[in-house]
Amino acid sequence: MSTHDLHDGFGRSISYLRISVTDKCNYRCVYCMPAEGVSAREHTELLTAEEIARFVRLVADEGIRRVRLTGGEPLVSHRIVPLIRAIRAIPEIEDISLTTNGALLPRMAPQLAEAGLDRVNISLDTLDPEQFSRITRLGRVEQALAGIDAALEYGFDPVKVNTVVVRRLNQDAFDLARLSIDRPIHVRFIEYMPIGNEETMTACASEPHCPPGVSGAAPELHPEAWDESDIVPSDELRAQISAAGERAGAGPLVPVGSHAPSGAGPAQYWRFERAEGTVGFISAMSNHFCSQCNRLRLTADGKLRPCLFSDDEYPVRDALRANDDARVLEIYRTALAHKPLEHETTDGTARFMSQIGG
Ligand code: SAM
Ligand code: SF4
């Protein structure tokens, strides 16, 4: 069967595949990973670039049109450039995007552009150098800013910035939103989600090398310490940024009209009146967008995940390795058929975000 527009069990047309290229990362963001990182998988456990590309070729025939490469940090993987090139050669795929912390973009932007990458999202949670280093544990804010400059210079379009907002971090949201004024940058604020769980972290905290501040009772932020009180609902944040805009002479946020960037997905976009870019809000917690969810995830170790928040997984690696295309498609269709209509969002997940592909 080749339908060219496959629907899930609830009639949602599934056209968007998010692929985690690696679990590894050169940062250790406090809300995403434990301080010592995640245990490295055996190389043989990970899909190769050719296996991923073959999977994309198969599911392109089933209606997948857009692919996002993520991780972990996709730019630390040697697979990334050949993978983009191989996916670009699949005629049905209309859009290839990448989510990155941006640190390696200045160096890699030319190869990525040449391989056929269309656009990038760069994570940036604060402009404050000291806070940036505390949040990412290993990063410097200049790296992300240089990544944004490189993305604009090499013509990726649109360039989006992702900011995860956590109440106790008290981030400089208006300063970040202001990045959208003078350049075509689309700054999106994402509600903090419960990914990772206590069980996973208990294992970490009992390791002798687990640093102080990661264990359960410490006040430091970490994935298993997710608490509802840390969510800043998008409506509250938008009102705050809009008021700050008025005070600073940028005006309030106004509806975006026809200025929404392409690949809008679940974000709601606004903008300052004379701005080049926009300000988006992704209300994953305060306003579930399950009914419009058109995505499926493939983990770096070859498991299909129909929902970010559910630990239901459908492994395709063995079938890919056995060159059994019919079996791969059967598993793909089973995963789609089990895509839930909605999800619980407070229990956490067995994997950290970096192991799922956020
Ligand atoms: N390393 C790349 C990066 O940071 O952009 C790609 C992978 S990262 C897991 C993808 C996105 O997930 C980032 O924008 C990150 O901020 C976001 N993220 C991680 N943990 C999150 C959480 N608990 N809630 C909301 N977003 C989260
Ligand atoms: Fe790495 Fe991205 Fe997770 Fe930060 S959010 S630790 S950069 S995977």
Side-chain angles (χ1 to χ4, degrees), residues 18 22 24-27 29 31-33 69-75 98-102 121-125 161-166 188 190-196 223 226 284-285 308-309 352-358:
R18 289 176 86 101
T22 177
K24 290 200 189 122
C25 189
N26 44 356
Y27 287 0
C29 300
Y31 52 73
C32 177
M33 263 202 198
L69 303 170
T70 179
E73 173 50 44
L75 297 188
L98 176 91
T99 303
T100 172
N101 59 35
N121 289 8
I122 298 165
S123 297
L124 173 63
D125 295 325
V161 165
N162 286 347
T163 302
V164 178
V165 181
V166 182
R188 295 122 44 88
I190 305 170
E191 288 175 353
Y192 182 36
M193 299 182 276
I195 307 290
W226 183 90
M285 301 303 297
L308 173 62
F309 292 99
F352 293 114
M353 188 67 119
S354 59
Q355 298 170 306
I356 299 172

Side-chain angles (χ1 to χ4, degrees), residues 76-138:
V76 303
S77 166
H78 296 303
R79 294 188 285 282
I80 193 69
V81 172
L83 178 60
I84 293 170
R85 197 168 285 128
I87 296 176
R88 186 78 287 167
I90 303 170
E92 292 87 350
I93 300 300
E94 296 159 4
D95 179 54
I96 309 176
S97 56
L98 176 91
T99 303
T100 172
N101 59 35
L104 296 173
L105 256 188
R107 193 189 322 153
M108 295 184 65
Q111 308 161 58
L112 297 167
E114 182 274 324
L117 181 68
D118 291 308
R119 58 196 183 91
V120 292
N121 289 8
I122 298 165
S123 297
L124 173 63
D125 295 325
T126 175
L127 290 173
D128 179 80
E130 203 263 323
Q131 189 179 41
F132 186 93
S133 296
R134 253 189 298 124
I135 293 176
T136 59
R137 291 188 179 110
L138 298 176

Side-chain angles (χ1 to χ4, degrees), residues 249-271:
L253 286 174
V254 295
V256 79
S258 58
H259 295 263
S262 64
Q268 300 289 325
Y269 286 96
W270 300 71
R271 67 189 182 100

Side-chain angles (χ1 to χ4, degrees), residues 54 318-326 328:
R54 199 149 59 77
D318 291 352
L320 274 170
R321 288 196 178 157
N323 285 322
D324 188 346
D325 291 354
V328 172

